Amino acid sequence: MELATNVSQFGSLVRRHRFRLIEALPWVAIVAVYLLFPTSLALGTQVLIMILFALSLDLLLGYAGITSLGHAAFFGLGAYVAGILTVHGVADPLLGLLISALACAFFGLITGSVILRTHGLPLLMLTLGILLMCAEAANRAVSITGGADGLQGMVVGPLLGFLEFDMRSRVAYCYSAVVLAVVFVFVRTLVHAPFGRMLVGIQLNSLRMSAVGTPVRRRLIIVYAIAGAIAGIAGALNAQTNEFVGPTVLSLELSAGVLTMLIFGGVGRLYGAFVGAAFYMVLHDYLARAEPAYWYLWLGVLLIVVVLYGKGGILGWCDRLYSACFDRSVRRQTPANTKEHGA
């Protein structure tokens, strides 16, 4: 009986991990952008980096229920670590990426063990406080970070020893896409594994999960560190592909922006980070050129509309549209079937 139960649980886990055909659409789109829009790969690279950043926040907010206004602290720390390493002779991009991820994971463990004793509004304010402290530290450490002028003199080495970063951002785009794919597979596996199911249970009812023996706080600290490491990878990618790190990587605007991306795409759905980040970045680019003085106004109006009338963001709208069309097709078939049976 126990063996049958274990086999059944394993089969359920495999089914949850099974890759569906529709999940290939974002990756097809990434390849299509590279082939069809070769002059827009710089923007495409930034979109991929923001998708990775939004994915890290979705792991916190959508699955663990940890609301953060200071997630840019990890993005900025990863960017500065990668930049400082490059300036001091560690020009290998992959090594810089790895060290940035480890530094941000350690930072997440330290800060998470302190701030995750709280929840709700106090937690929100603590995450914001950490971001402001990091921003002030980067601004004052002029000899290390360059202060308000940013980190100068970054020269990133060739990827894998022979792929030089070019002006058309072709290598940068492919590099960011591969890193995003690797991290996405890891996150997808994590959220469908028992650890991820545990996070959802903690979000729904932490007291009940604690009562059944789940180490709630320890799990939250671990996922906070993992999300911080992923955000640090995104920041390191941003620094390496731009060969510059400035104070904006530790701004509240960046934290609010990535939260807006998730709201647009859909919180608690991994592909919501893809849809929301791409939508936000393309809309930002268009509005900044079309309405440079008022683009924030139109972005704010759209955000209000999505929050009030678009539960689940763009993916939520797509689900409701699909359900409506499917239900309508079922209704059309039902009378004919009923008549046939009645005859």
Side-chain angles (χ1 to χ4, degrees):
M1 180 65 71
E2 183 179 353
L3 178 61
T5 302
N6 292 336
V7 171
S8 176
Q9 291 176 348
F10 178 75
S12 176
L13 183 63
V14 170
R15 285 192 296 273
R16 287 202 301 266
H17 277 282
R18 185 177 298 163
F19 187 84
R20 295 172 296 173
L21 186 61
I22 195 173
E23 294 186 63
L25 288 178
W27 307 104
V28 171
I30 290 173
V31 175
V33 168
Y34 181 82
L35 297 175
L36 301 177
F37 302 99
T39 60
S40 302
L41 293 183
L43 174 61
T45 302
Q46 291 303 306
V47 171
L48 294 177
I49 292 171
M50 287 299 108
I51 290 173
L52 187 58
F53 188 27
L55 194 64
S56 68
L57 181 60
D58 196 28
L59 190 59
L60 283 185
L61 181 60
Y63 290 89
I66 301 174
T67 308
S68 175
L69 270 180
H71 202 54
F74 296 105
F75 186 92
L77 178 61
Y80 272 110
V81 169
I84 292 170
L85 287 172
T86 303
V87 170
H88 289 83
V90 184
D92 182 30
L94 294 178
L95 182 59
L97 212 63
L98 176 61
I99 296 176
S100 297
L102 293 176
C104 290
F106 180 74
F107 184 68
L109 286 174
I110 299 300
T111 57
S113 63
V114 176
I115 68 174
L116 292 177
R117 299 173 184 272
T118 63
H119 60 277
L121 185 60
L123 175 60
L124 196 67
M125 292 297 101
L126 285 174
T127 59
L128 178 59
I130 290 174
L131 173 63
L132 296 177
M133 289 170 59
C134 291
E136 186 62 21
N139 189 48
R140 289 183 175 273
V142 179
S143 60
I144 301 175
T145 64
D149 295 328
L151 195 61
Q152 308 291 332
M154 286 185 60
V155 180
V156 181
L159 186 63
L160 300 177
F162 64 93
L163 294 173
E164 297 279 355
F165 287 90
D166 56 310
M167 295 295 293
R168 295 183 180 180
S169 299
R170 290 175 298 183
V171 173
Y173 185 86
C174 295
Y175 175 40
S176 301
V178 170
V179 173
L180 173 61
V182 171
V183 173
F184 177 79
V185 169
F186 168 75
V187 173
R188 187 180 184 277
T189 304
L190 185 70
V191 299
H192 287 96
F195 181 84
R197 299 296 93 192
M198 203 178 300
L199 292 179
V200 175
I202 291 172
Q203 179 184 6
L204 294 175
N205 195 322
S206 60
L207 292 178
R208 183 172 296 176
M209 291 297 291
S210 180
V212 298
T214 303
V216 172
R217 186 163 166 266
R218 188 186 307 167
R219 293 291 182 267
L220 292 179
I221 293 174
I222 291 173
V223 75
Y224 192 76
I226 293 174
I230 297 172
I233 291 174
L237 275 176
N238 186 72
Q240 292 172 350
T241 55
N242 292 317
E243 294 191 336
F244 177 77
V245 184
T248 54
V249 297
L250 287 167
S251 64
L252 177 59
E253 179 183 354
L254 183 59
S255 280
V258 71
L259 185 58
T260 304
M261 294 174 196
L262 275 185
I263 294 173
F264 279 150
V267 180
R269 308 179 63 170
L270 294 181
Y271 286 101
F274 286 73
V275 176
F279 178 78
Y280 179 92
M281 294 296 291
V282 173
L283 185 67
H284 175 285
D285 182 70
Y286 172 77
L287 291 177
R289 287 185 284 108
E291 296 285 346
Y294 301 106
W295 71 272
Y296 262 128
L297 171 65
W298 301 116
L299 193 63
V301 169
L302 184 59
L303 179 61
I304 292 172
V305 171
V306 171
V307 170
L308 291 180
Y309 304 106
K311 184 180 179 181
I314 296 173
L315 288 184
W317 278 336
C318 293
D319 285 345
R320 286 189 290 275
L321 180 62
Y322 174 80
S323 299
C325 294
F326 180 76
D327 292 342
R328 188 176 303 173
S329 65
V330 170
R331 291 193 194 100
R332 287 176 180 174
Q333 295 174 5
T334 302
N337 294 336
T338 305
K339 184 177 180 180
E340 182 182 348
H341 287 300

